[in-house]
Amino acid sequence: MVIALLTDFGDYYPGVMKGVIRRISGAEVVDITHSVKPQNVLEGAFLLYNAYRFFPRDTVFVAVVDPGVGGRRKALAIKTENYWFVCPDNGIAYPSASGDGVVEVYRINEAVSELVGELSSTFHGRDIFAPAGALLKEGRLEERYFSPLTDAIVELDLFDLTISKSGVRAMVVHIDRFGNVVTNVRRELVERASPEGVIFNGLEIPLVERYEDVEVGEPLALIGSFNTLELSIREGDFASEFGVGFGPVSLRWIR
Amino acid sequence: MVIALLTDFGDYYPGVMKGVIRRISGAEVVDITHSVKPQNVLEGAFLLYNAYRFFPRDTVFVAVVDPGVGGRRKALAIKTENYWFVCPDNGIAYPSASGDGVVEVYRINEAVSELVGELSSTFHGRDIFAPAGALLKEGRLEERYFSPLTDAIVELDLFDLTISKSGVRAMVVHIDRFGNVVTNVRRELVERASPEGVIFNGLEIPLVERYEDVEVGEPLALIGSFNTLELSIREGDFASEFGVGFGPVSLRWIR
Amino acid sequence: MVIALLTDFGDYYPGVMKGVIRRISGAEVVDITHSVKPQNVLEGAFLLYNAYRFFPRDTVFVAVVDPGVGGRRKALAIKTENYWFVCPDNGIAYPSASGDGVVEVYRINEAVSELVGELSSTFHGRDIFAPAGALLKEGRLEERYFSPLTDAIVELDLFDLTISKSGVRAMVVHIDRFGNVVTNVRRELVERASPEGVIFNGLEIPLVERYEDVEVGEPLALIGSFNTLELSIREGDFASEFGVGFGPVSLRWIR
């Protein structure tokens, strides 16, 4: 039984969350990542969506990218077919939860912070989400802490892009340590267009199946482990070389 | 039962420490942080002080920021009301240990390195502190490894600052991933002064309760999750924008 | 019982591997490092070699630095006297495995990816190496997943350097967070030459036993925790100050 954490907190804050979790629960804690780009809910949602199904049944995911911390956004606990998702109501866990099948939605009450002994306005990871996750791991879905929610929650579409005959306007949703640029263009869309390559910023890039299909140092496009289109340089760093950041990106098909 | 680690070691060295710990002890290891600014004992002490009380009873904290490694500083094991702290004698665990209530102090003998099979002059995290923490977790407070210490240990005051009517000369003790600048000015001091804001380097910054009280991109001051004064930009990076680093900082009150 | 991970994957990808491992196995996962310089098999091999013996018997090491992912290089599981090593066949685990004593070598079949439900061409850490490690941890050395291998595997020599009377041409194999520059010049070689210092890029550096033997801010050479020669600045960052990167380095002895 695992509690899995995904945040934009970087270092230290997750360590404190683990202390809180261990005081309430015997659960093992697994870090998915704490390096989501600060405030980037879309990246957080995309990374969670591509991680959750690899975890065992009954995992409790605590996913916190939370620009609205301390404000009026709700704190949620979402029960799905196989998992629990604990998160702010900003869409971060929506693609994962709806992918697995939402069963019930609860609002987390601030009372959970009594178990921590603190309620700051800046660190609900520690004061709200960590104790809520630990309670659910222990099966303690208590009224004091969780209220059934019937209001709509925030929905987020990971694959919202503009498709034309000549190409696609998509989003860069993740850049990994190797400088691979991960987009939200899905395998199915690429297979339907069946191009031989893509044009990005005037650069012609071949679409290949594996890195070894081009020479070391050459750019390439492929369907990566997220099952979406990625831009890479074999044994190089595409993002640095071409100055690519997060956000919108235009790609034209080469046919 | 948990062994919690806090160091300035960055990556890899903590992984080796975990190997050592697992050879001696069945304990689960939790990382608090390994990103303390290199050699910055004050930051290490501040972060440990703000983490320890969130951990379960009987946690063994191994805290190593150790510019004197290989030299004559002592290695300590401090038993407190609820915890053990294992650390070099440079003050890093002093605020935490005295906060929880010191019960007994031991000197760690170099003999613990026999359990590792190595005694380097540069990596006592592996050779001294990790095995000592694992022994204590197992309840093995053996004479061969631990000697009662009656000498004074190094004391460190986290909240040593200069207060005047017009403001305070304080320390930047931590900068987090979001660029929030964390000072050692405590909530009580701010409440006593009850300002409407602070002046930092000529910049007037309002004191607010939560990020949402200013517009996105605007600077703000608030009492953060450390219960001290922090300087931030809503959804921005104060430290980068204003070039703030660790060390002394002067703040004037706006009334 | 531990599964220990060493990769150049940075953040996130290791979190997904842990999900896969936890679905197959009850093993605790310990991170050694995920910050090996991208594609740098030599650094990965050096770091693994200096970590493995500190882990308990029966640890399964999953070591993945894998520029050939998706290509024709084999995936290996190597049983040694005390451990298992799971890795691509590029030499990364060779020094460790031969150091501990190779008992049997197996090729990992792609069928292990059935347990993941994915087989990408870019992320065999998730699809091949993580499930293989988890299977071995569970003692499931099944024919469907593992085939005995009698072909030669790739050998890698960590200590391949050119020695002359006046000095040595060696490799920088690791640079740590403090800017310590770690070479592959072994203690025995230095002791045989018994110099008083080294000359690096025209800079004379004394060979000392511990950091405290020079003043703060001064450069020094010593035998570090890897039992090889390191170049450092006391409480400073040698690599940044002198612009040192990975790769070949020439050192002359001062006598």
Side-chain angles (χ1 to χ4, degrees):
Chain A
M1 307 251 283
V2 175
I3 294 180
L5 306 182
L6 179 147
T7 75
D8 62 347
F9 289 167
D11 209 77
Y12 181 66
Y13 296 127
V16 178
M17 289 173 71
K18 289 174 202 173
V20 167
I21 287 170
R22 289 300 311 233
R23 267 175 58 178
I24 300 171
S25 155
E28 187 189 353
V29 180
V30 172
D31 297 305
I32 301 177
T33 180
H34 299 291
S35 301
V36 173
K37 195 172 145 71
Q39 329 286 1
N40 195 320
V41 176
L42 181 64
E43 187 191 21
F46 183 81
L47 293 180
L48 182 62
Y49 180 77
N50 284 286
Y52 84 85
R53 72 182 180 281
F54 297 106
F55 280 76
R57 266 182 75 96
D58 296 328
T59 295
V60 176
F61 295 93
V62 176
V64 191
V65 177
D66 193 14
V69 62
R72 269 168 302 180
R73 63 97 190 91
K74 297 183 192 83
L76 302 181
I78 308 174
K79 184 175 169 52
T80 67
E81 292 294 338
N82 296 289
Y83 303 110
W84 277 99
F85 293 90
V86 172
C87 57
D89 183 19
N90 59 19
I92 185 170
Y94 179 80
S96 301
S98 57
D100 195 51
V102 174
V103 176
E104 283 166 338
V105 181
Y106 295 85
R107 180 170 184 161
I108 305 167
N109 303 325
E110 283 192 353
V112 297
S113 66
E114 295 163 4
L115 299 167
V116 184
E118 306 267 336
L119 180 54
S120 67
S121 62
T122 60
F123 189 11
H124 286 189
R126 178 189 71 191
D127 305 335
I128 302 286
F129 297 110
L135 286 168
L136 293 172
K137 184 81 262 172
E138 297 295 291
R140 296 176 54 186
L141 186 65
E142 299 165 18
E143 271 180 45
R144 175 161 186 73
Y145 303 129
F146 301 95
S147 310
L149 185 75
T150 50
D151 305 5
I153 63 173
V154 173
E155 303 189 359
L156 182 151
D157 182 358
L158 289 178
F159 302 107
D160 180 25
L161 31 71
T162 309
I163 304 168
S164 70
K165 276 204 170 147
S166 64
V168 61
R169 192 167 165 78
M171 293 291 279
V172 173
V173 286
H174 181 56
I175 296 175
D176 71 16
R177 186 182 186 228
F178 303 93
N180 297 314
V181 170
V182 181
T183 76
N184 65 345
V185 181
R186 276 192 279 196
R187 174 192 295 275
E188 300 77 45
L189 179 64
V190 177
E191 288 177 349
R192 227 179 303 135
S194 93
E196 291 180 12
V198 299
I199 300 175
F200 164 78
N201 264 357
L203 179 75
E204 299 199 2
I205 306 172
L207 180 68
V208 300
E209 296 226 350
R210 54 183 61 80
Y211 296 135
E212 293 197 352
D213 293 340
V214 306
E215 298 299 310
V216 171
E218 291 296 313
L220 65 116
L222 52 60
I223 303 299
S225 63
F226 296 96
N227 269 312
T228 63
L229 191 70
E230 296 184 22
L231 307 179
S232 304
I233 291 175
R234 181 172 170 199
E235 298 187 30
D237 184 320
F238 191 97
S240 295
E241 186 118 350
F242 296 105
V244 184
F246 285 75
V249 64
S250 282
L251 301 169
R252 280 194 295 136
W253 305 129
I254 302 173
R255 283 195 173 104
Chain B
M1 308 253 283
V2 174
I3 294 180
L5 306 181
L6 178 147
T7 75
D8 61 347
F9 289 165
D11 210 74
Y12 182 67
Y13 295 127
V16 178
M17 289 172 69
K18 289 174 201 172
V20 168
I21 287 170
R22 289 300 311 235
R23 267 175 59 177
I24 300 171
S25 156
E28 187 188 354
V29 180
V30 172
D31 297 306
I32 301 177
T33 180
H34 298 292
S35 301
V36 174
K37 194 173 146 69
Q39 329 284 4
N40 194 319
V41 176
L42 181 64
E43 187 191 21
F46 183 81
L47 293 180
L48 182 62
Y49 180 76
N50 284 285
Y52 84 85
R53 71 182 181 283
F54 297 106
F55 279 75
R57 267 182 74 96
D58 296 329
T59 296
V60 175
F61 295 94
V62 177
V64 191
V65 177
D66 193 15
V69 63
R72 267 167 302 180
R73 63 97 191 91
K74 297 183 192 82
L76 302 180
I78 308 175
K79 184 174 168 51
T80 67
E81 292 293 338
N82 296 289
Y83 303 110
W84 278 99
F85 293 90
V86 173
C87 57
D89 184 19
N90 59 19
I92 186 171
Y94 179 79
S96 301
S98 58
D100 194 52
V102 173
V103 176
E104 282 167 339
V105 182
Y106 294 85
R107 181 171 183 161
I108 305 168
N109 303 326
E110 283 191 355
V112 297
S113 66
E114 295 163 4
L115 299 167
V116 183
E118 305 266 337
L119 179 54
S120 66
S121 62
T122 60
F123 188 12
H124 287 189
R126 178 189 71 190
D127 305 335
I128 302 285
F129 297 111
L135 286 168
L136 293 172
K137 183 82 264 172
E138 297 295 292
R140 295 177 55 185
L141 186 64
E142 299 166 16
E143 271 180 45
R144 174 161 187 74
Y145 303 128
F146 301 95
S147 310
L149 186 75
T150 50
D151 305 6
I153 62 173
V154 174
E155 303 189 1
L156 181 153
D157 182 359
L158 289 178
F159 302 107
D160 180 25
L161 32 69
T162 309
I163 304 168
S164 70
K165 276 205 171 147
S166 64
V168 62
R169 192 166 164 79
M171 292 292 278
V172 173
V173 285
H174 181 55
I175 295 175
D176 71 16
R177 186 182 186 227
F178 302 93
N180 297 314
V181 170
V182 181
T183 76
N184 64 345
V185 181
R186 275 192 281 197
R187 175 192 293 276
E188 301 76 45
L189 179 65
V190 177
E191 287 177 351
R192 227 179 303 134
S194 93
E196 291 180 11
V198 300
I199 300 175
F200 164 79
N201 264 359
L203 179 75
E204 299 199 3
I205 306 172
L207 179 68
V208 300
E209 296 226 348
R210 54 183 62 78
Y211 296 134
E212 293 197 351
D213 293 340
V214 306
E215 297 299 309
V216 171
E218 292 295 313
L220 64 117
L222 51 61
I223 304 299
S225 63
F226 297 96
N227 270 311
T228 63
L229 191 70
E230 294 185 23
L231 306 179
S232 302
I233 292 175
R234 182 173 171 199
E235 298 187 29
D237 184 320
F238 191 97
S240 296
E241 186 117 350
F242 296 105
V244 184
F246 285 75
V249 64
S250 283
L251 300 170
R252 279 194 297 135
W253 305 127
I254 302 173
R255 285 195 172 103
Chain C
M1 307 252 283
V2 175
I3 294 180
L5 306 181
L6 178 146
T7 75
D8 62 347
F9 289 167
D11 209 76
Y12 181 66
Y13 295 126
V16 178
M17 289 172 70
K18 290 174 201 173
V20 168
I21 287 171
R22 290 300 310 234
R23 268 175 59 178
I24 299 170
S25 156
E28 187 188 354
V29 181
V30 172
D31 297 305
I32 302 177
T33 180
H34 299 291
S35 301
V36 173
K37 194 174 148 69
Q39 329 285 3
N40 194 321
V41 176
L42 181 64
E43 186 191 21
F46 183 80
L47 294 180
L48 182 62
Y49 180 76
N50 284 285
Y52 84 85
R53 72 182 180 282
F54 297 106
F55 280 75
R57 266 181 77 97
D58 296 329
T59 295
V60 176
F61 295 93
V62 177
V64 191
V65 177
D66 193 14
V69 64
R72 268 168 301 181
R73 64 97 192 89
K74 297 183 193 83
L76 301 180
I78 308 174
K79 184 174 169 52
T80 67
E81 292 293 339
N82 296 289
Y83 303 110
W84 277 100
F85 294 90
V86 172
C87 56
D89 183 19
N90 60 19
I92 185 170
Y94 179 79
S96 301
S98 56
D100 194 51
V102 174
V103 175
E104 282 166 338
V105 181
Y106 295 84
R107 181 171 184 161
I108 305 167
N109 303 326
E110 283 192 354
V112 297
S113 66
E114 294 163 5
L115 300 167
V116 184
E118 306 267 335
L119 179 55
S120 67
S121 62
T122 60
F123 188 12
H124 287 189
R126 179 189 71 190
D127 305 335
I128 302 286
F129 297 111
L135 286 167
L136 293 172
K137 183 83 260 172
E138 298 296 291
R140 295 177 55 186
L141 185 65
E142 299 166 16
E143 270 180 45
R144 174 160 187 72
Y145 303 129
F146 301 94
S147 309
L149 186 75
T150 49
D151 304 7
I153 62 173
V154 174
E155 304 189 0
L156 182 152
D157 181 358
L158 289 178
F159 302 107
D160 180 26
L161 30 72
T162 310
I163 303 168
S164 69
K165 275 204 170 145
S166 64
V168 61
R169 192 165 165 79
M171 292 292 278
V172 173
V173 286
H174 181 56
I175 295 175
D176 71 15
R177 187 183 184 225
F178 303 93
N180 298 314
V181 170
V182 181
T183 76
N184 64 345
V185 181
R186 276 193 280 197
R187 175 192 295 276
E188 300 76 45
L189 179 64
V190 177
E191 287 177 349
R192 228 179 303 134
S194 93
E196 291 181 12
V198 300
I199 299 175
F200 164 78
N201 263 358
L203 179 75
E204 298 199 3
I205 307 172
L207 179 68
V208 299
E209 296 226 349
R210 54 184 61 79
Y211 296 135
E212 293 197 352
D213 292 340
V214 306
E215 298 299 309
V216 171
E218 292 296 313
L220 65 117
L222 52 61
I223 303 299
S225 63
F226 296 96
N227 270 311
T228 62
L229 191 70
E230 295 185 23
L231 306 179
S232 302
I233 292 176
R234 181 172 170 199
E235 298 186 30
D237 184 320
F238 191 97
S240 295
E241 186 117 350
F242 296 105
V244 184
F246 285 74
V249 63
S250 283
L251 301 170
R252 280 194 296 136
W253 305 128
I254 302 174
R255 282 187 173 113

